[in-house]
Amino acid sequence: MKSITLILFTLVSFIQGYGQAAGGQEFGEDIRSWLKLGEHKVDLMSVKQSLTTRQVELSNKVMKAMQKNALWVRDSLPNVTDSTLIYEKFGLSKAEFDEYLLSGEKKSTPELVKTGDETLVITRKKNNLVFTGTGRLKVLDSLKFNTALNEPLYNSKELELSNKSGVDNSDNPFKSPWNGYHFTYEHYGDVTDNDPKNLTAQTITFDVGQIKDSGNTILMFMLMNFENGKMVQSSTVICMFK
């Protein structure tokens, strides 16, 4: 069976991780050189939507089914071998499932478009690089990068380094080779409660990198909060600055 990750579109990211371990000293020096102190004029970016009406229709069916079967997706999906069960849990017939996978395989490289200009101020307070943003960047006000721990903290929650990220060619949304680091935080409520209506979870991701051609710094941030099976908070930021 084709990889089931193709259908987990709600967690799709641009990031193509190398999966290489990175020493703390190495990536700490990189990140400190990218996050320069001072006021930065920031290009706010968004993903250009290129889905067809049919893709949107199928995606909506999958999203609705995933919300209904959230606990099954979390606990059972990685080990399932019965394709019929996958069709059922994702709310699709076999024909629709095949169509959905095929549309995913045909997707071109996502395109980024500029959606606005904002300001981001980076200051240092003891061991922390502190962010103060305008507009949609205000969500970063709760984010710090601790230079002693070499990790971001969001409202005191520690995001751990997952992997190095980036690509060595221009076939990516930034249209240039880039390299960076991907940090994540995940927390789940009562994992023994199988009622999806009681699902509580939080996912936070943070990426910082540098575009090789321009030298611009990349910041990407995503926050998702679920309470009682419903998403109550969602924020996504993609931005670049010199």
Side-chain angles (χ1 to χ4, degrees):
M1 177 180 292
K2 299 175 183 178
S3 173
I4 57 177
T5 57
L6 291 172
I7 59 179
L8 296 181
F9 66 95
T10 55
L11 300 179
V12 167
S13 166
F14 309 130
I15 305 154
Q16 301 180 38
Y18 289 121
Q20 300 171 349
Q25 186 66 25
E26 173 196 346
F27 74 78
E29 291 177 356
D30 279 348
I31 293 174
R32 284 191 291 272
S33 70
W34 298 336
L35 298 177
K36 297 181 175 65
L37 301 182
E39 181 176 304
H40 303 277
K41 298 300 181 183
V42 174
D43 291 337
L44 194 64
M45 313 297 290
S46 292
V47 182
K48 183 177 181 180
Q49 298 297 326
S50 58
L51 296 177
T52 66
T53 302
R54 178 59 172 167
Q55 287 173 320
V56 171
E57 177 187 351
L58 293 176
S59 294
N60 286 339
K61 292 182 71 172
V62 173
M63 282 193 68
K64 184 176 180 180
M66 285 182 69
Q67 290 174 346
K68 179 181 178 181
N69 301 305
L71 290 176
W72 181 89
V73 171
R74 187 193 70 191
D75 299 332
S76 302
L77 181 58
N79 301 315
V80 70
T81 58
D82 183 353
S83 57
T84 303
L85 185 57
I86 293 180
Y87 307 151
E88 175 188 342
K89 295 296 185 180
F90 281 85
L92 303 175
S93 67
K94 182 182 184 305
E96 288 174 330
F97 185 85
D98 291 342
E99 181 183 356
Y100 189 72
L101 286 183
L102 184 61
S103 68
E105 290 180 342
K106 289 182 177 180
K107 286 180 182 176
S108 58
T109 301
E111 182 180 351
L112 285 177
V113 292
K114 182 177 175 179
T115 57
D117 297 292
E118 298 291 353
T119 299
L120 181 67
V121 178
I122 304 176
T123 55
R124 187 182 185 101
K125 293 183 179 179
K126 295 184 178 180
N127 290 328
N128 292 316
L129 299 178
V130 180
F131 304 92
T132 305
T134 60
R136 288 181 59 191
L137 299 183
K138 289 292 292 180
V139 68
L140 300 181
D141 289 4
S142 299
L143 182 73
K144 301 176 182 179
F145 189 87
N146 187 290
T147 57
L149 298 175
N150 281 335
E151 65 182 16
L153 297 95
Y154 185 80
N155 285 333
S156 300
K157 299 179 177 69
E158 297 182 12
L159 281 68
E160 296 183 355
L161 177 68
S162 295
N163 55 268
K164 296 180 70 173
S165 56
V167 290
D168 56 6
N169 58 60
S170 298
D171 186 20
N172 66 82
F174 299 108
K175 302 186 184 304
S176 168
W178 68 280
N179 64 290
Y181 302 93
H182 179 63
F183 298 85
T184 60
Y185 169 87
E186 291 184 332
H187 174 74
Y188 296 99
D190 184 0
V191 296
T192 65
D193 189 340
N194 293 321
D195 188 346
K197 293 181 180 179
N198 298 328
L199 174 66
T200 297
Q202 183 177 58
T203 297
I204 306 171
T205 67
F206 174 76
D207 291 85
V208 56
Q210 183 180 60
I211 298 176
K212 294 182 179 179
D213 289 349
S214 65
N216 286 350
T217 295
I218 305 165
L219 284 185
M220 294 184 283
F221 175 84
M222 184 186 73
L223 167 67
M224 291 191 300
N225 275 333
F226 287 86
E227 291 183 6
N228 299 321
K230 296 181 179 179
M231 184 180 290
V232 296
Q233 186 179 16
S234 175
S235 181
T236 303
V237 168
I238 306 170
C239 63
M240 298 185 293
F241 57 89
K242 293 187 180 298

